[in-house]
Amino acid sequence: DAVSGNIISKYTNIQGLINNDLTAIAFDNSGKLWIGAVDGSISILNIQNNTWKYLYDIKNSSEANKFINYILLSGNYMYIATGYGIQKVSTSSYNFVDAPYYRLGTFPINTPVYSLTINNNVLYAATKSGVAYANLVNSNLNDPNSWSNYNQIPMNTDVKAIESYDNKIFAGSLTGFSYFDGINWNPYPNTQVSGASTISIKTIQNNLYFISGNSIFYSNSSDLSVLNVY
């Protein structure tokens, strides 16, 4: 409970998880909780009746890096960032849709994807090689030519986080923090964090929260340059 701080339930492999080493979590459009693990397993918990559904497709695949790094809901699909690309899964049938998106533009095949976000029907991926993005509506995501890439310093390697906020795309790497205004990529408007390791970004209401260095900061959309320590 976020208000009282009391633990309501605990889930491990004893309660139904396939693997306890967890790396991603998200709710789907019917209120089920999708939980990804390092072995590629996805455990889906129906909170209402405490029943489980399991997806073994990635776990049982021949992929070398099966990490489930991030799970993003869009409409009736979950987009899953993995250690080898992006998977698309139906939230109603649980079927994997399309082949895995292995090649994102000019980035090497099987580039690990760490995080995902969507803005104006464009899917943005934070990857080991930079930022890749493609239109979800009128493009074939299996075609590398459908993807555009941005990999200028500091977004040239190990982009760990990406988030849509205030109609901009914020991305964090191990060497910096930048944002895309729809035309240009710019450094975050505060030098304390623009060149620092940024490993997680999340929007909550009008605030942008991010982990930079050893601190959690947040800024308001009215003035991103003003940093608050959480």
Side-chain angles (χ1 to χ4, degrees):
D1 186 292
V3 176
S4 68
N6 295 327
I7 296 174
I8 298 173
S9 299
K10 176 182 177 181
Y11 297 98
T12 69
N13 59 337
I14 297 174
Q15 288 82 24
L17 286 174
I18 297 174
N19 190 312
N20 290 335
D21 198 349
L22 307 177
T23 49
I25 192 166
F27 278 103
D28 68 12
N29 45 6
S30 62
K32 295 183 179 66
L33 190 64
W34 292 49
I35 307 164
V38 296
D39 64 348
S41 64
I42 300 175
S43 304
I44 303 172
L45 174 62
N46 186 329
I47 300 281
Q48 302 304 316
N49 57 19
N50 215 41
T51 57
W52 295 88
K53 167 81 177 176
Y54 303 109
L55 303 183
Y56 294 98
D57 302 59
I58 298 173
K59 176 179 171 62
N60 293 338
S61 72
S62 60
E63 305 296 345
N65 184 342
K66 301 178 183 182
F67 272 53
I68 307 294
N69 293 316
Y70 198 86
I71 303 173
L72 175 69
L73 174 67
S74 178
N76 296 318
Y77 301 99
M78 285 295 206
Y79 289 87
I80 301 173
T82 74
Y84 57 85
I86 302 171
Q87 295 272 187
K88 181 181 179 181
V89 184
S90 168
T91 57
S92 56
S93 67
Y94 302 109
N95 290 329
F96 281 62
V97 181
D98 297 339
Y101 307 139
Y102 282 124
R103 189 180 289 278
L104 311 179
T106 59
F107 290 165
I109 192 170
N110 298 130
T111 293
V113 179
Y114 300 119
S115 186
L116 300 165
T117 194
I118 294 174
N119 187 54
N120 294 327
N121 293 322
V122 176
L123 176 66
Y124 293 83
T127 84
K128 185 173 180 60
S129 299
V131 177
Y133 51 99
N135 192 290
L136 287 173
V137 177
N138 53 17
S139 60
N140 174 14
L141 299 187
N142 282 123
D143 181 359
N145 294 320
S146 296
W147 293 85
S148 299
N149 299 127
Y150 180 77
N151 59 348
Q152 300 298 309
I153 296 174
M155 295 295 119
N156 59 320
T157 184
D158 290 318
V159 183
K160 294 293 187 177
I162 198 159
E163 180 82 340
S164 174
Y165 175 67
D166 194 28
N167 208 33
K168 302 177 181 69
I169 302 299
F170 290 80
S173 74
L174 296 185
T175 55
F177 192 12
S178 302
Y179 72 93
F180 179 56
D181 61 12
I183 300 174
N184 299 306
W185 283 89
N186 309 282
Y188 190 88
N190 187 302
T191 56
Q192 181 180 347
V193 296
S194 61
S197 175
T198 308
I199 60 171
S200 184
I201 309 169
K202 186 61 62 177
T203 300
I204 303 176
Q205 297 177 339
N206 291 324
N207 289 333
L208 183 73
Y209 291 80
F210 53 95
I211 299 174
S212 176
N214 296 319
S215 300
I216 300 175
F217 295 96
Y218 67 95
S219 295
N220 190 272
S221 58
S222 61
D223 191 346
L224 291 171
S225 68
V226 177
L227 300 179
N228 303 279
V229 177
Y230 184 78

